[in-house]
Amino acid sequence: MKSNSLVYKLVATFSIILAISYMIIATVLSVWVQRNYILERRVRLEDSSAFIENNVTRFKNREIDMFTLRDSLRYLGKGINNSDIMLIDDKNLIWYVSKPELETELLKSYPASNLEKLKNGQVQEITGLNGSDGKTEYFVYISPMVEDNIYGGAVVIMTPVSALQNQISGVYVIIWFSALIAIIASVFIIYFFAQRILIKPLYELNEVAGKMKSGDFSQRAVVSSGDEIGQL
């Protein structure tokens, strides 16, 4: 099939239209997945914060000891993308942190005025908090512990941004790889049907027309379709 033929241009046009359509679908799916992932992550953080708050209450009531509280927080953190957990008391002083070096980073990057907002029951989020190594970035979720309208401190969950990106990037790879496969398959399917419906009949007609031009009127094109090409 010549690159300047009408059929080639037709197949190329359909292929480009399909490719653009698949890319739009993949983009919409990626945005939808990201949005739902953020919502799901927020719900998971809310549930985790409620679980931690319950354990803190049990600790204050001396139902569990510090070792049990620390172990539960450590296992919970591993289940939340290897997150680090920090506990703040009612005076906004840190009394537990799974990784001590993160304490100074949080206080340095988080203004005291925002800590005051926790007393009003406002959940706080920080994106892009730098770790002590200067390389690791954290997404920080701070949930106030309020009981009977009394502020009792806050739960801080610090998740490495790389862990979040790795989790959702795998879904992006699947979406765009599927779109690429669909584009390639569509091109082959279009070419296959164009070969049978357009290219081969037109090639036979063109060959017979060439012989008729040379004076040989004994040739006939065998085209059995009932469309416009068959009528020709």
Side-chain angles (χ1 to χ4, degrees):
M1 183 170 55
K2 297 180 180 180
S3 60
N4 60 349
S5 68
L6 179 62
V7 177
Y8 175 86
K9 294 178 181 178
L10 184 63
V11 172
T13 300
F14 276 111
S15 299
I16 292 173
I17 292 174
L18 279 175
I20 294 175
S21 300
Y22 283 128
M23 290 176 66
I24 292 175
I25 293 173
T27 302
V28 172
L29 281 176
S30 298
V31 173
W32 180 81
V33 166
Q34 183 179 21
R35 182 179 178 182
N36 280 270
Y37 175 77
I38 292 174
L39 293 175
E40 181 183 352
R41 185 186 65 188
R42 184 169 284 112
V43 171
R44 187 179 182 188
L45 289 173
E46 290 174 356
D47 293 341
S48 299
S49 299
F51 176 80
I52 295 172
E53 183 176 351
N54 179 63
N55 277 355
V56 170
T57 301
R58 293 176 61 197
F59 171 73
K60 291 180 178 179
N61 294 334
R62 298 184 178 182
E63 296 177 13
I64 59 175
D65 56 21
M66 187 62 185
F67 295 102
T68 304
L69 176 63
R70 184 177 57 191
D71 289 341
S72 65
L73 295 181
R74 183 172 67 251
Y75 287 120
L76 180 63
K78 289 182 179 179
I80 316 175
N81 303 109
N82 290 321
S83 299
D84 290 291
I85 297 175
M86 192 181 301
L87 299 177
I88 300 176
D89 62 15
D90 55 347
K91 296 181 179 58
N92 289 330
L93 299 176
I94 298 173
W95 62 275
Y96 171 82
V97 58
S98 57
K99 188 180 290 185
E101 58 267 24
L102 293 176
E103 178 178 350
T104 56
E105 300 300 327
L106 176 66
L107 296 178
K108 183 169 58 179
S109 305
Y110 196 65
S113 58
N114 282 25
L115 286 173
E116 292 299 321
K117 294 179 181 179
L118 293 172
K119 295 181 179 180
N120 298 325
Q122 298 180 17
V123 174
Q124 304 290 314
E125 295 182 0
I126 307 174
T127 303
L129 175 69
N130 291 323
S132 57
D133 57 2
K135 299 178 181 179
T136 306
E137 288 189 356
Y138 289 88
F139 170 80
V140 184
Y141 180 86
I142 307 177
S143 176
M145 295 185 288
V146 180
E147 186 176 359
D148 298 329
N149 294 324
I150 299 176
Y151 176 68
V155 176
V156 182
I157 302 177
M158 307 179 67
T159 308
V161 174
S162 59
L164 300 175
Q165 291 175 343
N166 291 337
Q167 190 171 17
I168 197 171
S169 62
V171 180
Y172 290 156
V173 170
I174 294 174
I175 291 175
W176 285 98
F177 182 75
S178 300
L180 178 61
I181 295 298
I183 292 172
I184 296 174
S186 299
V187 170
F188 278 104
I189 291 172
I190 291 174
Y191 179 78
F192 173 77
F193 283 102
Q195 182 78 20
R196 297 189 60 180
I197 298 174
L198 291 175
I199 299 176
K200 187 175 181 180
L202 288 177
Y203 177 79
E204 292 182 1
L205 288 173
N206 187 53
E207 187 176 7
V208 171
K211 291 182 179 180
M212 292 177 66
K213 183 179 179 181
S214 302
D216 185 3
F217 295 95
S218 61
Q219 300 294 324
R220 293 290 183 272
V222 182
V223 179
S224 59
S225 61
D227 55 16
E228 289 80 356
I229 296 178
Q231 293 175 5
L232 288 176

